[in-house]
Amino acid sequence: MDNRQAIGSWLSGPRAAAEEMGADFGYRGERLGLPQDGPGSIAPLGRRFGALFIDWALCMLIAYGLIAAGDQQAAGNWALGVFLVMSLLTVGTVGSTPGKRILGLRVIAEDGSRLGVLRVALRSVLLLLVIPAIVWDRDSRGLHDRLARAVQVRI
């Protein structure tokens, strides 16, 4: 093997090296039976982060103005509780938080149905722990979504 090929595959990363060896990764969501583009396809990461930012800002505003009486330190702590309650109520009923709704996203079960209350609770608690949310699979689903057997899709 030429040294330049080895360096090129090392710089390109493990996915590029696997693709050179014949691995077919397909598009995000293909293994779940979702379309590649449009409604029902895997939600893009940028929109998901944008929705999370909107939801967190809303939770901070609620916590700061209604619960913590203007105390910033307490508002940050209360915002976690507000986020949990908001997630349970909104994802458990309509399938999306306010931020997700604004950006055209929805959380569904892997089979396309609505998530049950226990799965929404599991997903929400794991999301608050942060670490499960930043461990992704090749379909760009966080560990919190995988364990809850959920997927975020475009509306």
Side-chain angles (χ1 to χ4, degrees):
M1 174 181 249
D2 185 11
N3 284 340
R4 289 176 291 179
Q5 286 178 321
I7 290 172
S9 66
W10 176 75
L11 291 174
S12 302
R15 181 180 178 125
E19 286 174 344
E20 284 180 15
M21 294 187 322
D24 180 24
F25 290 104
Y27 63 87
R28 294 180 311 130
E30 183 176 20
R31 295 182 309 155
L32 300 169
L34 300 174
Q36 186 171 1
D37 294 314
S41 65
I42 294 281
L45 291 176
R47 280 192 195 181
R48 289 167 51 187
F49 284 127
L52 183 61
F53 179 78
I54 292 169
D55 291 336
W56 185 251
L58 180 62
C59 290
M60 282 295 291
L61 183 65
I62 291 169
Y64 184 78
L66 300 178
I67 301 171
D71 181 5
Q72 279 187 313
Q73 182 67 31
N77 295 331
W78 279 107
L80 289 170
V82 172
F83 186 86
L84 178 64
V85 170
M86 180 184 70
S87 182
L88 290 172
L89 292 175
T90 58
V91 174
T93 56
V94 295
S96 59
T97 61
K100 287 183 188 342
R101 179 63 67 173
I102 289 169
L103 295 180
L105 305 178
R106 185 171 57 144
V107 180
I108 59 171
E110 289 175 338
D111 64 3
S113 64
R114 188 181 335 182
L115 282 180
V117 175
L118 292 177
R119 288 169 51 188
V120 169
L122 172 66
R123 182 183 181 279
S124 300
V125 168
L126 290 172
L127 183 58
L128 289 177
L129 295 175
V130 177
I131 298 299
I134 60 174
V135 177
W136 298 326
D137 66 4
R138 76 179 212 205
D139 291 319
S140 298
R141 289 191 312 155
L143 188 57
H144 65 298
D145 280 333
R146 286 193 55 117
L147 291 174
R149 295 188 325 268
V151 61
Q152 295 184 59
V153 296
R154 295 177 185 174
I155 296 177

